[in-house]
Amino acid sequence: MDSESLQELVAGGESDRLEFKRTTGELRPAMESLCAFLNGSGGEVLIGVSDSGRILGQQVADSTLRDIGQALQRLEPPATVEQQRIPLGNNLEVLRFAVEPGDSQPYMYDGRAWQRVGTTTQRMPTADYEQRLLTRLHSQHRWENRIAEGLTLADLDTEEIVTTVKS
């Protein structure tokens, strides 16, 4: 993304798939929003943009990048996060983080699950978290998803297969 594309994106304002943060001083809420996007329809967090949509940028030092790396490691389960540094000039940049809806929902950041409700990021209710977790675990441990080690085609019950297909 270049600065022109950034201006177009920011012009639409915050939404259920876009969050602005002024600086990495707001890294924790930025990561909570990223977690919410993973638990929802995906989205982007832009650091260096005010709530009103003014592109401010910020200086990005090595320590900033280390802090971001550590913050991203607190997403559970691990997720793919597209990261981009958009230069603005005068040694200022906007940091962009984008995610698609996660395949391993529910996701947590720092031990808590988050969801997006309109333009806000909120803690996911325990009942919703538990339901999503059960769905994920069930899909991972279904018998039909397991590898049948040590079995061959001769082990199949042809009569049962025919009966099942006919019904």
Side-chain angles (χ1 to χ4, degrees), residues 1 5-34 37 43-58 86 94-97 116 118-121:
M1 173 178 293
S5 300
L6 175 66
Q7 288 176 357
E8 290 175 18
L9 179 63
V10 169
E14 288 187 328
S15 69
D16 59 340
R17 299 198 57 195
L18 182 62
E19 178 78 13
F20 302 152
K21 297 296 178 196
R22 291 179 65 88
T23 69
T24 50
E26 297 178 281
L27 189 56
R28 181 179 190 83
M31 292 297 122
E32 291 168 355
S33 292
L34 207 57
F37 293 143
E44 299 176 68
V45 175
L46 300 175
I47 298 178
V49 179
S50 72
D51 288 342
S52 65
R54 188 166 158 242
I55 299 173
L56 307 168
Q58 77 166 55
I86 305 164
V94 168
L95 301 172
R96 176 181 169 265
F97 302 93
R116 195 74 172 168
T119 59
T120 66
T121 298

Side-chain angles (χ1 to χ4, degrees), residues 4-167:
E4 186 176 310
S5 300
L6 175 66
Q7 288 176 357
E8 290 175 18
L9 179 63
V10 169
E14 288 187 328
S15 69
D16 59 340
R17 299 198 57 195
L18 182 62
E19 178 78 13
F20 302 152
K21 297 296 178 196
R22 291 179 65 88
T23 69
T24 50
E26 297 178 281
L27 189 56
R28 181 179 190 83
M31 292 297 122
E32 291 168 355
S33 292
L34 207 57
C35 178
F37 293 143
L38 283 163
N39 285 325
S41 302
E44 299 176 68
V45 175
L46 300 175
I47 298 178
V49 179
S50 72
D51 288 342
S52 65
R54 188 166 158 242
I55 299 173
L56 307 168
Q58 77 166 55
Q59 292 183 347
V60 179
D62 287 339
S63 60
T64 305
L65 298 175
R66 278 193 301 276
D67 291 345
I68 290 168
Q70 291 171 352
L72 289 171
Q73 288 179 341
R74 291 197 295 271
L75 284 170
E76 295 177 47
T80 301
V81 179
E82 181 185 337
Q83 301 175 58
Q84 185 178 10
R85 296 168 66 177
I86 305 164
L88 301 176
N90 293 332
N91 205 24
L92 297 175
E93 302 175 52
V94 168
L95 301 172
R96 176 181 169 265
F97 302 93
V99 294
E100 296 296 323
D103 292 333
S104 299
Q105 292 184 24
Y107 287 86
M108 295 187 304
Y109 177 72
D110 217 13
R112 295 207 169 137
W114 300 90
Q115 65 183 4
R116 195 74 172 168
V117 178
T119 59
T120 66
T121 298
Q122 300 176 5
R123 284 184 63 182
M124 183 181 291
T126 302
D128 291 353
Y129 172 77
E130 289 172 347
Q131 182 59 49
R132 290 181 188 210
L133 185 60
L134 284 173
T135 300
R136 180 177 82 196
L137 293 174
H138 179 70
S139 68
Q140 292 174 346
H141 298 288
R142 294 173 55 106
W143 67 267
E144 60 267 40
N145 292 337
R146 295 185 182 178
I147 297 172
E149 294 182 24
L151 300 176
T152 67
L153 288 176
D155 294 314
L156 296 177
D157 184 342
T158 309
E159 202 173 298
E160 183 63 32
I161 293 171
V162 170
T163 302
T164 301
V165 170
K166 285 183 178 179
S167 28

